[in-house]
Amino acid sequence: MNTSQSAWTSRTWRDRTALQQPHWPDGAAHEAVLEQLSSLPPLVFAGETRELTDRLADVAAGRAFLLQAGDCAESFDTSADSIRDRLRVILQMAVVLTYYTGVPVVKVGRIAGQFAKPRSSDTETIDGVELPSFRGHIVNDVGFTAEERAADPERLLTAYHRATATLNLLRAFTKGGFADLSRVHQWNREFVATSPAGQRYAAIAEEIERAVQFMSACGINSETLTDLRQVDFYTSHEALLLDYEEALTRRDSLTGDWVDCSAHMLWIGERTRQLDGAHVEFLRGVANPLGCKIGPTATAEEVIALCEALNPERIPGRLTLVTRMGATKVVDGLPPLLTAVKESGHPVVWTCDPMHGNTFTADDGRKTRHFEDVLAEVSGFFAAHRFAGTHPGGVHLELTGDDVTECLGGGAEVVTADLANRYETMCDPRLNGSQSVDLAFRVAELLRNGTH
Ligand code: PEP
Ligand code: CO
């Protein structure tokens, strides 16, 4: 039995088990905040979510590539510069991918709402003191005091306002000239530019600039062709706190569809993808394009049942399956799933999250990932698709434009002793700017070899 046979409203998830929800000590204050949220303006418009579904349909058909990337957990303290630099590194990666493969890149940020985190344990114990786990800035704070770890419903409102301000800035940058292709050189930040990947990037930026100058001499420039000046950039986050998502779900006056207006795309995490659970129940009813994480324990039957529940009408672009198997498991684990879904006829986008199956604790006690493991999972993903005759549709990454030292290896060679230098993540380790550009080149090579 799947869930899609019964009637849906934005509240039917409440009859199911919702894992990973915080305990709000002040229930009345929580309810009051939800009431307020439900009367605030939507962050995105239904038409934009439909447009993204169409773009993702191109990805499903092998005509475009999905680059979904950003923070593991966004912070309420993220500066405007840091938001700009995250966008900048994603634009750089997209340029590399497009330039080398000739394939359009659909750009989706883990940004402007990626505030809630699932945790493996409800509590954390340090030196005999047990406190609630940190669940992302939308719930509590990262510091280890009872006050900081208490779930505060006011944070739901702050999350909404932070997401609004972030999205506003992203819209300004992507439509207001920052993303103009003639600025492709200026996206290369100094610390990236000095790395081998940054130097490689500078070389293609030069070629693109020459092409832009040539076109301009022919009368085609960003004044005459807005596509040269603007990029489409979409937002996404894990739809974890269902009462927040419910409060931002609105009816589209044009189509009558229900749309979760907190972001363009929402995904279901590995820990909350139970077929009879609240997250699948909520998301099956909203018209946004959806993602669903698929970890190494998923069976072909489960994956097909998720496709049936989340996309019973088999709309191309509606469902993206984000596989996160781990570098050692992807080659054996992925092909049976690809084949089963292919045979079922479901038109999914397959994308690779090479981050979450490759996390380990370094000798200094910090959570990290090795660039080579990330790359190995992406390579295995491409190999699995070649084997199954399916499209490797994209990558899903945790990164930042900043010069952090959270993941090991990569062009600029971060070693364990460097981790302490700039380890700033509130949750999982992210690729830094030069590791991200380096990875874009490697992915572009894999994609090119697979398509030619
Ligand atoms: C994440 O994307 O940050 C995450 C928690 O991933 P997963 O659900 O795949 O573990
Ligand atoms: Co993460």
Side-chain angles (χ1 to χ4, degrees):
M1 250 275 298
N2 72 42
T3 48
S4 60
Q5 284 137 5
S6 46
W8 182 92
T9 75
S10 62
R11 294 179 65 84
T12 47
W13 65 270
R14 292 174 180 273
D15 301 329
R16 312 277 173 139
T17 303
L19 297 182
Q20 297 285 344
Q21 305 304 293
H23 167 67
W24 302 99
D26 186 343
H30 179 230
E31 284 304 317
V33 162
L34 293 176
E35 184 72 35
Q36 243 178 300
L37 278 172
S38 64
S39 62
L40 286 167
L43 270 77
V44 303
F45 303 104
E48 295 175 321
T49 67
R50 278 194 292 276
E51 186 185 276
L52 177 56
T53 301
D54 290 345
R55 298 279 166 90
L56 292 169
D58 287 340
V59 178
R63 293 189 296 265
F65 192 76
L66 169 63
L67 174 60
Q68 187 171 14
D71 253 306
C72 179
E74 279 182 276
S75 163
F76 283 174
D77 307 318
T78 305
S79 68
D81 283 357
S82 186
I83 294 166
R84 180 200 59 209
D85 291 341
R86 226 154 293 180
L87 173 67
R88 165 148 61 187
V89 77
I90 293 171
L91 294 177
Q92 278 189 283
M93 295 174 80
V95 158
V96 169
L97 285 161
T98 308
Y99 191 78
Y100 274 87
T101 65
V103 171
V105 174
V106 181
K107 296 167 273 295
V108 181
R110 286 176 61 115
I111 201 164
Q114 177 49 23
F115 294 118
K117 296 312 299 174
R119 301 317 301 252
S120 45
S121 168
D122 281 346
T123 60
E124 183 179 356
T125 303
I126 299 180
D127 296 333
V129 180
E130 188 180 15
L131 291 174
S133 293
F134 172 59
R135 290 188 172 275
H137 266 172
I138 194 170
V139 176
N140 57 7
D141 210 349
V142 71
F144 196 73
T145 64
E147 218 181 0
E148 286 163 299
R149 289 294 172 92
D152 175 1
E154 282 298 315
R155 286 181 169 272
L156 295 166
L157 282 170
T158 310
Y160 168 86
H161 290 297
R162 287 294 313 189
T164 309
T166 303
L167 181 54
N168 181 55
L169 197 58
L170 291 169
R171 289 190 194 275
F173 282 139
T174 52
K175 303 296 176 191
F178 178 79
D180 193 316
L181 206 50
S182 65
R183 293 174 54 97
V184 68
H185 237 128
Q186 289 153 41
W187 300 340
N188 212 5
R189 283 189 73 197
E190 205 161 296
F191 80 91
V192 178
T194 52
S195 72
Q199 285 162 11
R200 242 182 123 179
Y201 174 83
I204 62 170
E206 219 154 274
E207 289 180 33
I208 291 170
E209 268 184 2
R210 262 206 300 275
V212 168
Q213 278 163 12
F214 169 74
M215 287 195 298
S216 177
C218 300
I220 304 163
N221 55 42
S222 50
E223 300 295 312
T224 55
L225 187 66
T226 48
D227 280 359
L228 290 177
R229 191 174 63 231
Q230 303 189 342
V231 301
D232 291 327
F233 188 85
Y234 300 94
T235 60
S236 70
H237 61 257
E238 178 174 350
L240 188 70
L241 299 195
L242 293 175
D243 37 27
Y244 176 85
E245 303 300 337
E246 178 195 316
L248 288 168
T249 294
R250 309 292 157 77
R251 192 154 207 165
D252 174 23
S253 54
L254 210 64
T255 60
D257 287 344
W258 290 95
V259 178
D260 183 344
C261 296
S262 70
H264 297 110
M265 180 178 185
L266 286 318
W267 79 84
I268 305 178
E270 171 69 0
R271 294 170 186 79
T272 50
R273 61 172 168 77
Q274 299 74 26
L275 201 56
D276 57 355
H279 291 80
V280 169
E281 172 57 21
F282 176 73
L283 285 164
R284 77 178 174 93
V286 296
N288 310 61
L290 303 178
C292 185
K293 294 290 195 89
I294 301 292
T297 60
T299 64
E301 293 70 33
E302 271 172 359
V303 174
I304 288 171
L306 282 166
C307 293
E308 286 292 328
L310 296 171
N311 191 16
E313 291 167 36
R314 305 186 174 211
I315 299 165
R318 154 79 170 166
L319 182 60
T320 296
L321 296 178
V322 187
T323 61
R324 30 89 84 223
M325 300 279 157
T328 57
K329 296 188 180 147
V330 61
V331 178
D332 292 332
L334 189 52
L337 305 183
L338 302 180
T339 305
V341 173
K342 184 180 170 186
E343 283 170 1
S344 77
H346 273 282
V348 304
V349 169
W350 289 105
T351 183
C352 174
D353 166 359
M355 315 300 292
H356 289 90
N358 296 308
T359 316
F360 66 95
T361 305
D363 290 343
D364 73 349
R366 289 186 170 81
K367 255 207 296 187
T368 190
R369 292 158 175 159
H370 204 290
F371 185 84
E372 291 305 321
D373 295 335
V374 169
L375 190 58
E377 178 152 0
V378 177
S379 306
F381 171 81
F382 275 86
H385 281 278
R386 229 177 359 257
F387 179 80
T390 43
H391 297 301
V395 286
H396 179 121
L397 306 168
E398 288 183 343
L399 56 75
T400 167
D402 300 333
D403 191 13
V404 298
T405 52
E406 298 170 7
C407 290
L408 300 170
E413 270 313 320
V414 176
V415 297
T416 307
D418 298 326
L419 288 178
N421 294 347
R422 273 194 74 179
Y423 192 93
E424 298 174 2
T425 184
M426 292 195 305
C427 197
D428 290 337
R430 303 159 298 177
L431 299 170
N432 64 27
S434 36
Q435 288 168 331
S436 300
V437 174
D438 194 356
L439 187 66
F441 278 107
R442 311 294 191 101
V443 172
E445 281 157 12
L446 287 164
L447 193 58
R448 194 160 59 164
N449 294 340
T451 50
H452 286 252

